[in-house]
Amino acid sequence: MAVHTANAPAAESAAKKESKLAGLAKFRELGLLAFILLLAIGVQIRNPSFLTIENVMDMATNTAILSILAVGMMLVLVTRGIDLSIGATLALSGMLVAQIVSASAGFSPLLAVITGIGIGTVCGLVIGGLVAWLGVLPIIATLAMMNIYRGFTYMASDGKWISSYQMPESFVGIATSSVLGINTLILIALFIYIAAYYFIGHTRTGRQIYAVGSNPESAKVTGINEKKILILVYTLMGGLSGLCGVLWVSKFASAQGDTASGYELSVIAACILGGVSIAGGSGKLSGVILGAVLIGILNNALPMMDVSPFWQKGIEGTIILGAVLLNAAVKRGVERNHLLRRRI
Protein backbone atom coordinates (compact mmCIF):
# COMPACT_ATOMS: atom_id res chain seq x y z
CA MET A 1 0.00 0.00 0.00
CA ALA A 2 2.91 2.28 0.88
CA VAL A 3 4.49 1.59 -2.48
CA HIS A 4 1.26 2.59 -4.21
CA THR A 5 1.10 5.81 -2.19
CA ALA A 6 4.70 6.66 -2.97
CA ASN A 7 4.25 6.08 -6.66
CA ALA A 8 1.01 8.03 -6.95
CA PRO A 9 2.62 11.49 -7.20
CA ALA A 10 5.06 10.20 -9.80
CA ALA A 11 2.23 8.72 -11.84
CA GLU A 12 0.28 11.96 -11.61
CA SER A 13 3.33 13.98 -12.68
CA ALA A 14 3.99 11.65 -15.63
CA ALA A 15 0.38 11.90 -16.72
CA LYS A 16 0.50 15.70 -16.65
CA LYS A 17 3.73 15.77 -18.68
CA GLU A 18 2.34 13.32 -21.20
CA SER A 19 -0.82 15.38 -21.52
CA LYS A 20 1.18 18.54 -22.22
CA LEU A 21 3.42 16.82 -24.77
CA ALA A 22 0.50 15.16 -26.50
CA GLY A 23 -1.23 18.52 -26.61
CA LEU A 24 1.85 20.07 -28.19
CA ALA A 25 1.97 17.31 -30.80
CA LYS A 26 -1.75 17.62 -31.48
CA PHE A 27 -1.96 21.38 -31.80
CA ARG A 28 1.43 22.15 -33.35
CA GLU A 29 -0.43 23.21 -36.50
CA LEU A 30 -1.87 26.14 -34.55
CA GLY A 31 1.63 27.21 -33.60
CA LEU A 32 2.75 26.94 -37.21
CA LEU A 33 -0.25 28.96 -38.34
CA ALA A 34 0.50 31.62 -35.73
CA PHE A 35 4.11 31.78 -36.90
CA ILE A 36 2.97 32.19 -40.52
CA LEU A 37 0.63 35.04 -39.54
CA LEU A 38 3.32 36.81 -37.49
CA LEU A 39 5.81 36.40 -40.33
CA ALA A 40 3.32 37.82 -42.83
CA ILE A 41 2.62 40.81 -40.59
CA GLY A 42 6.33 41.42 -40.08
CA VAL A 43 7.06 41.30 -43.81
CA GLN A 44 4.07 43.56 -44.53
CA ILE A 45 5.46 46.16 -42.13
CA ARG A 46 8.79 46.06 -43.98
CA ASN A 47 7.22 45.98 -47.46
CA PRO A 48 3.59 47.15 -47.86
CA SER A 49 3.30 45.43 -51.24
CA PHE A 50 3.62 41.96 -49.66
CA LEU A 51 -0.06 41.40 -48.81
CA THR A 52 -1.48 42.89 -51.97
CA ILE A 53 -3.97 40.70 -53.80
CA GLU A 54 -1.63 40.37 -56.75
CA ASN A 55 1.30 39.17 -54.62
CA VAL A 56 -0.82 36.83 -52.51
CA MET A 57 -2.21 35.18 -55.65
CA ASP A 58 1.32 34.92 -57.03
CA MET A 59 2.47 33.19 -53.82
CA ALA A 60 -0.51 30.83 -53.98
CA THR A 61 0.21 29.77 -57.55
CA ASN A 62 3.92 29.36 -56.84
CA THR A 63 3.16 27.24 -53.77
CA ALA A 64 0.55 25.05 -55.49
CA ILE A 65 3.06 22.70 -57.15
CA LEU A 66 5.12 22.45 -53.95
CA SER A 67 2.06 21.58 -51.87
CA ILE A 68 0.85 18.93 -54.35
CA LEU A 69 4.21 17.19 -54.20
CA ALA A 70 4.27 17.52 -50.39
CA VAL A 71 1.03 15.51 -50.17
CA GLY A 72 2.67 12.60 -51.96
CA MET A 73 5.91 12.95 -49.99
CA MET A 74 3.94 12.83 -46.75
CA LEU A 75 2.61 9.38 -47.61
CA VAL A 76 6.13 8.19 -48.46
CA LEU A 77 7.60 9.56 -45.21
CA VAL A 78 4.77 8.04 -43.19
CA THR A 79 5.88 4.59 -44.39
CA ARG A 80 9.44 5.33 -43.16
CA GLY A 81 10.63 6.02 -46.70
CA ILE A 82 11.85 8.97 -48.72
CA ASP A 83 11.80 9.92 -52.39
CA LEU A 84 14.70 11.95 -53.75
CA SER A 85 13.73 11.37 -57.37
CA ILE A 86 10.66 13.61 -57.59
CA GLY A 87 12.51 16.54 -59.16
CA ALA A 88 13.96 14.27 -61.84
CA THR A 89 10.59 12.59 -62.44
CA LEU A 90 8.99 16.01 -62.75
CA ALA A 91 11.63 17.09 -65.28
CA LEU A 92 11.33 13.90 -67.34
CA SER A 93 7.54 13.98 -67.57
CA GLY A 94 7.54 17.71 -68.29
CA MET A 95 10.15 17.35 -71.05
CA LEU A 96 8.44 14.41 -72.77
CA VAL A 97 5.02 16.06 -72.68
CA ALA A 98 6.51 19.35 -73.92
CA GLN A 99 8.07 17.52 -76.86
CA ILE A 100 4.75 15.90 -77.69
CA VAL A 101 2.72 19.11 -77.61
CA SER A 102 5.39 21.06 -79.51
CA ALA A 103 5.31 18.43 -82.27
CA SER A 104 1.51 18.22 -82.30
CA ALA A 105 -0.19 21.57 -81.75
CA GLY A 106 -3.62 19.94 -81.64
CA PHE A 107 -2.71 17.72 -78.69
CA SER A 108 -5.44 18.08 -76.05
CA PRO A 109 -4.37 19.79 -72.77
CA LEU A 110 -6.31 17.15 -70.81
CA LEU A 111 -4.51 14.40 -72.69
CA ALA A 112 -1.21 16.16 -71.96
CA VAL A 113 -1.99 16.08 -68.25
CA ILE A 114 -2.96 12.40 -68.39
CA THR A 115 0.23 11.60 -70.32
CA GLY A 116 2.36 13.37 -67.71
CA ILE A 117 0.64 11.51 -64.88
CA GLY A 118 1.18 8.24 -66.75
CA ILE A 119 4.90 8.86 -67.21
CA GLY A 120 5.31 9.78 -63.56
CA THR A 121 3.29 6.77 -62.44
CA VAL A 122 5.61 4.41 -64.33
CA CYS A 123 8.64 6.11 -62.76
CA GLY A 124 7.12 5.76 -59.29
CA LEU A 125 6.16 2.14 -59.92
CA VAL A 126 9.78 1.29 -60.76
CA ILE A 127 10.97 2.81 -57.49
CA GLY A 128 8.20 1.07 -55.56
CA GLY A 129 9.29 -2.25 -57.05
CA LEU A 130 12.91 -1.66 -56.05
CA VAL A 131 11.93 -0.81 -52.48
CA ALA A 132 9.15 -3.36 -51.93
CA TRP A 133 10.24 -6.37 -53.97
CA LEU A 134 14.02 -6.09 -54.08
CA GLY A 135 14.41 -4.60 -50.59
CA VAL A 136 16.58 -1.67 -51.72
CA LEU A 137 16.73 1.10 -49.14
CA PRO A 138 14.45 3.98 -50.21
CA ILE A 139 17.22 6.57 -50.06
CA ILE A 140 19.47 4.41 -52.28
CA ALA A 141 16.73 3.44 -54.73
CA THR A 142 15.47 6.98 -55.20
CA LEU A 143 18.95 8.49 -55.38
CA ALA A 144 19.89 6.04 -58.14
CA MET A 145 16.67 6.57 -60.07
CA MET A 146 17.00 10.33 -59.66
CA ASN A 147 20.21 10.24 -61.67
CA ILE A 148 18.77 7.77 -64.18
CA TYR A 149 15.63 9.84 -64.78
CA ARG A 150 17.67 13.02 -65.04
CA GLY A 151 19.89 11.27 -67.59
CA PHE A 152 16.83 10.17 -69.57
CA THR A 153 15.67 13.79 -69.61
CA TYR A 154 18.94 15.00 -71.11
CA MET A 155 18.91 12.14 -73.62
CA ALA A 156 15.34 12.87 -74.70
CA SER A 157 16.03 16.59 -75.08
CA ASP A 158 19.53 16.17 -76.52
CA GLY A 159 20.53 18.96 -74.17
CA LYS A 160 18.13 21.45 -75.78
CA TRP A 161 15.37 23.57 -74.25
CA ILE A 162 11.77 23.78 -75.33
CA SER A 163 10.59 27.36 -75.02
CA SER A 164 7.20 29.05 -74.94
CA TYR A 165 7.09 29.85 -78.66
CA GLN A 166 7.26 26.10 -79.40
CA MET A 167 4.27 25.32 -77.17
CA PRO A 168 0.63 25.84 -78.17
CA GLU A 169 -1.33 28.43 -76.20
CA SER A 170 -3.80 25.77 -75.07
CA PHE A 171 -0.98 23.92 -73.27
CA VAL A 172 0.43 27.04 -71.62
CA GLY A 173 -3.11 27.86 -70.53
CA ILE A 174 -3.24 24.77 -68.30
CA ALA A 175 -1.43 26.63 -65.53
CA THR A 176 -2.11 30.23 -66.50
CA SER A 177 -5.88 30.14 -67.06
CA SER A 178 -8.46 30.77 -64.33
CA VAL A 179 -11.96 29.73 -63.35
CA LEU A 180 -14.14 32.34 -61.63
CA GLY A 181 -11.02 34.39 -61.08
CA ILE A 182 -9.12 31.54 -59.40
CA ASN A 183 -5.97 30.26 -61.08
CA THR A 184 -6.23 26.71 -62.41
CA LEU A 185 -3.12 25.65 -60.47
CA ILE A 186 -4.80 26.57 -57.20
CA LEU A 187 -7.97 24.67 -58.16
CA ILE A 188 -5.96 21.57 -59.06
CA ALA A 189 -4.12 21.77 -55.72
CA LEU A 190 -7.43 22.07 -53.85
CA PHE A 191 -8.75 19.01 -55.66
CA ILE A 192 -5.63 17.06 -54.65
CA TYR A 193 -6.08 18.14 -51.00
CA ILE A 194 -9.71 17.02 -50.91
CA ALA A 195 -8.92 13.69 -52.56
CA ALA A 196 -5.99 13.11 -50.18
CA TYR A 197 -8.09 14.01 -47.13
CA TYR A 198 -10.72 11.47 -48.11
CA PHE A 199 -8.14 8.82 -48.99
CA ILE A 200 -6.16 9.19 -45.75
CA GLY A 201 -9.04 9.52 -43.33
CA HIS A 202 -11.88 7.55 -44.88
CA THR A 203 -10.40 4.54 -46.65
CA ARG A 204 -8.96 1.32 -45.36
CA THR A 205 -5.85 1.69 -47.50
CA GLY A 206 -5.20 5.15 -46.06
CA ARG A 207 -5.23 3.73 -42.53
CA GLN A 208 -3.00 0.85 -43.60
CA ILE A 209 -0.35 3.30 -44.80
CA TYR A 210 -0.08 4.72 -41.29
CA ALA A 211 -0.13 1.23 -39.77
CA VAL A 212 2.83 0.16 -41.90
CA GLY A 213 4.78 3.23 -40.86
CA SER A 214 3.89 2.98 -37.18
CA ASN A 215 4.78 -0.67 -36.69
CA PRO A 216 5.62 -2.80 -39.75
CA GLU A 217 5.72 -6.04 -37.76
CA SER A 218 2.30 -5.51 -36.20
CA ALA A 219 0.95 -4.53 -39.61
CA LYS A 220 2.08 -7.86 -41.03
CA VAL A 221 0.45 -9.74 -38.16
CA THR A 222 -2.86 -8.03 -38.86
CA GLY A 223 -2.71 -9.12 -42.50
CA ILE A 224 -1.63 -5.85 -44.13
CA ASN A 225 0.36 -6.39 -47.33
CA GLU A 226 3.36 -4.16 -46.69
CA LYS A 227 4.79 -4.58 -50.19
CA LYS A 228 1.53 -3.50 -51.80
CA ILE A 229 1.38 -0.41 -49.58
CA LEU A 230 4.98 0.57 -50.39
CA ILE A 231 4.42 0.17 -54.12
CA LEU A 232 1.24 2.23 -53.82
CA VAL A 233 2.81 5.22 -52.05
CA TYR A 234 5.77 5.44 -54.43
CA THR A 235 3.47 5.07 -57.43
CA LEU A 236 1.22 7.85 -56.11
CA MET A 237 4.29 10.00 -55.52
CA GLY A 238 5.39 9.35 -59.09
CA GLY A 239 1.96 10.16 -60.49
CA LEU A 240 1.83 13.47 -58.63
CA SER A 241 5.37 14.26 -59.81
CA GLY A 242 4.26 13.58 -63.39
CA LEU A 243 1.27 15.86 -62.96
CA CYS A 244 3.48 18.60 -61.53
CA GLY A 245 5.90 18.16 -64.44
CA VAL A 246 3.14 19.19 -66.85
CA LEU A 247 2.00 22.02 -64.57
CA TRP A 248 5.57 23.28 -64.12
CA VAL A 249 6.33 23.38 -67.85
CA SER A 250 2.95 24.98 -68.54
CA LYS A 251 3.45 27.63 -65.85
CA PHE A 252 7.00 28.61 -66.75
CA ALA A 253 6.56 27.86 -70.50
CA SER A 254 9.94 26.17 -70.57
CA ALA A 255 11.22 22.59 -70.44
CA GLN A 256 14.89 21.84 -69.80
CA GLY A 257 17.11 19.12 -68.44
CA ASP A 258 17.72 20.67 -65.04
CA THR A 259 14.10 21.60 -64.35
CA ALA A 260 13.28 21.39 -60.61
CA SER A 261 16.81 20.36 -59.72
CA GLY A 262 16.99 20.11 -55.92
CA TYR A 263 13.28 20.80 -55.57
CA GLU A 264 12.79 17.59 -53.60
CA LEU A 265 14.56 19.23 -50.65
CA SER A 266 11.95 21.98 -50.46
CA VAL A 267 9.18 19.37 -50.61
CA ILE A 268 10.73 17.34 -47.79
CA ALA A 269 11.23 20.55 -45.82
CA ALA A 270 7.53 21.40 -46.15
CA CYS A 271 6.61 17.97 -44.77
CA ILE A 272 9.00 18.22 -41.84
CA LEU A 273 7.84 21.73 -41.00
CA GLY A 274 4.28 20.39 -41.07
CA GLY A 275 5.08 17.80 -38.41
CA VAL A 276 5.57 14.66 -40.51
CA SER A 277 7.93 12.35 -38.64
CA ILE A 278 10.93 11.12 -40.61
CA ALA A 279 10.72 8.00 -38.42
CA GLY A 280 7.34 7.20 -40.01
CA GLY A 281 3.84 6.60 -38.71
CA SER A 282 2.70 10.18 -38.16
CA GLY A 283 1.80 13.22 -40.19
CA LYS A 284 -1.26 15.35 -40.90
CA LEU A 285 -2.38 16.80 -44.20
CA SER A 286 -3.21 20.15 -42.59
CA GLY A 287 0.30 20.43 -41.21
CA VAL A 288 1.88 19.59 -44.56
CA ILE A 289 -0.16 22.27 -46.33
CA LEU A 290 0.87 24.83 -43.71
CA GLY A 291 4.49 23.75 -44.10
CA ALA A 292 4.25 24.29 -47.86
CA VAL A 293 2.66 27.70 -47.29
CA LEU A 294 5.51 28.69 -44.95
CA ILE A 295 8.13 27.66 -47.53
CA GLY A 296 6.21 29.61 -50.17
CA ILE A 297 6.08 32.72 -47.99
CA LEU A 298 9.79 32.53 -47.23
CA ASN A 299 10.65 32.17 -50.92
CA ASN A 300 8.52 35.22 -51.71
CA ALA A 301 9.13 37.40 -48.67
CA LEU A 302 12.89 37.17 -48.20
CA PRO A 303 13.74 38.60 -51.66
CA MET A 304 11.19 41.38 -51.06
CA MET A 305 13.08 42.24 -47.87
CA ASP A 306 16.35 42.38 -49.83
CA VAL A 307 17.77 39.39 -47.97
CA SER A 308 20.81 37.89 -49.68
CA PRO A 309 20.16 34.54 -51.46
CA PHE A 310 22.85 32.99 -49.26
CA TRP A 311 21.04 34.14 -46.12
CA GLN A 312 17.73 32.94 -47.55
CA LYS A 313 18.98 29.35 -47.60
CA GLY A 314 20.46 29.76 -44.13
CA ILE A 315 17.21 31.10 -42.68
CA GLU A 316 15.18 28.34 -44.34
CA GLY A 317 17.62 25.70 -43.05
CA THR A 318 17.49 27.09 -39.52
CA ILE A 319 13.69 26.95 -39.46
CA ILE A 320 13.73 23.37 -40.78
CA LEU A 321 16.31 22.32 -38.18
CA GLY A 322 14.18 23.83 -35.44
CA ALA A 323 11.14 21.89 -36.68
CA VAL A 324 13.10 18.62 -36.72
CA LEU A 325 14.39 19.19 -33.20
CA LEU A 326 10.88 20.01 -31.98
CA ASN A 327 9.50 16.83 -33.58
CA ALA A 328 12.24 14.75 -31.98
CA ALA A 329 11.75 16.33 -28.55
CA VAL A 330 7.99 15.77 -28.61
CA LYS A 331 8.37 12.16 -29.71
CA ARG A 332 11.02 11.38 -27.08
CA GLY A 333 8.98 13.04 -24.37
CA VAL A 334 5.80 11.12 -25.19
CA GLU A 335 7.67 7.79 -25.40
CA ARG A 336 9.53 8.47 -22.13
CA ASN A 337 6.34 9.25 -20.28
CA HIS A 338 4.60 6.16 -21.70
CA LEU A 339 7.50 4.06 -20.42
CA LEU A 340 7.39 5.74 -17.00
CA ARG A 341 3.66 5.12 -16.64
CA ARG A 342 4.10 1.43 -17.47
CA ARG A 343 6.83 1.07 -14.85
CA ILE A 344 4.67 2.80 -12.24
Side-chain angles (χ1 to χ4, degrees), residues 28-29 32 268-277 283-292 323 327:
R28 61 167 294 136
E29 288 84 4
L32 183 57
I268 294 171
C271 292
I272 294 174
L273 286 171
V276 180
S277 173
K284 294 176 66 177
L285 183 62
S286 57
V288 168
I289 294 173
L290 287 174
N327 284 345

Side-chain angles (χ1 to χ4, degrees), residues 91-113:
L92 178 59
S93 61
M95 176 60 72
L96 293 178
V97 171
Q99 288 181 329
I100 293 173
V101 298
S102 62
S104 177
F107 201 74
S108 167
L110 178 59
L111 191 56
V113 170

Side-chain angles (χ1 to χ4, degrees), residues 33-307:
L33 178 60
F35 180 77
I36 290 173
L37 293 175
L38 290 174
L39 177 63
I41 293 172
V43 176
Q44 176 66 15
I45 293 173
R46 287 286 303 274
N47 191 329
S49 64
F50 176 69
L51 290 181
T52 60
I53 295 177
E54 182 180 355
N55 191 59
V56 169
M57 291 302 294
D58 186 52
M59 278 193 293
T61 54
N62 288 336
T63 307
I65 292 176
L66 173 66
S67 61
I68 291 172
L69 292 170
V71 170
M73 184 63 76
M74 180 189 75
L75 297 178
V76 172
L77 291 173
V78 163
T79 61
R80 304 188 179 190
I82 195 168
D83 192 344
L84 301 177
S85 70
I86 59 176
T89 301
L90 186 156
L92 178 59
S93 61
M95 176 60 72
L96 293 178
V97 171
Q99 288 181 329
I100 293 173
V101 298
S102 62
S104 177
F107 201 74
S108 167
L110 178 59
L111 191 56
V113 170
I114 294 173
T115 302
I117 294 174
I119 294 170
T121 298
V122 172
C123 292
L125 185 60
V126 171
I127 294 174
L130 290 174
V131 174
W133 291 105
L134 298 184
V136 181
L137 290 174
I139 191 171
I140 301 299
T142 58
L143 184 61
M145 296 313 298
M146 175 186 72
N147 290 297
I148 292 173
Y149 294 155
R150 191 67 70 175
F152 283 166
T153 306
Y154 282 106
M155 288 174 59
S157 64
D158 196 25
K160 299 177 181 178
W161 292 17
I162 297 180
S163 303
S164 58
Y165 71 89
Q166 298 171 274
M167 303 176 189
E169 292 184 8
S170 59
F171 177 74
V172 176
I174 294 175
T176 58
S177 60
S178 61
V179 178
L180 299 177
I182 303 176
N183 184 273
T184 309
L185 269 179
I186 299 174
L187 294 176
I188 293 174
L190 290 173
F191 174 78
I192 297 296
Y193 302 157
I194 294 171
Y197 174 79
Y198 177 80
F199 174 70
I200 293 170
H202 298 84
T203 67
R204 182 180 180 184
T205 304
R207 292 188 291 270
Q208 289 177 342
I209 290 173
Y210 281 81
V212 167
S214 298
N215 194 325
E217 297 304 320
S218 296
K220 290 179 182 178
V221 172
T222 58
I224 296 175
N225 189 329
E226 182 182 3
K227 292 181 179 179
K228 183 186 295 185
I229 293 297
L230 292 176
I231 290 176
L232 174 64
V233 296
Y234 285 100
T235 300
L236 287 174
M237 181 75 262
L240 291 175
S241 299
L243 167 64
C244 289
V246 177
L247 299 179
W248 184 294
V249 173
S250 174
K251 175 176 171 57
F252 297 104
S254 174
Q256 53 199 67
D258 61 350
T259 294
S261 180
Y263 200 62
E264 56 278 348
L265 300 181
S266 295
V267 176
I268 294 171
C271 292
I272 294 174
L273 286 171
V276 180
S277 173
I278 56 177
S282 65
K284 294 176 66 177
L285 183 62
S286 57
V288 168
I289 294 173
L290 287 174
V293 169
L294 177 56
I295 295 292
I297 289 177
L298 289 173
N299 290 337
N300 181 273
L302 295 179
M304 293 183 69
M305 297 172 65
D306 296 324
V307 177

Side-chain angles (χ1 to χ4, degrees), residues 320-330 332:
I320 293 168
L321 179 60
V324 172
L325 294 176
L326 177 61
N327 284 345
V330 170
R332 284 198 305 269

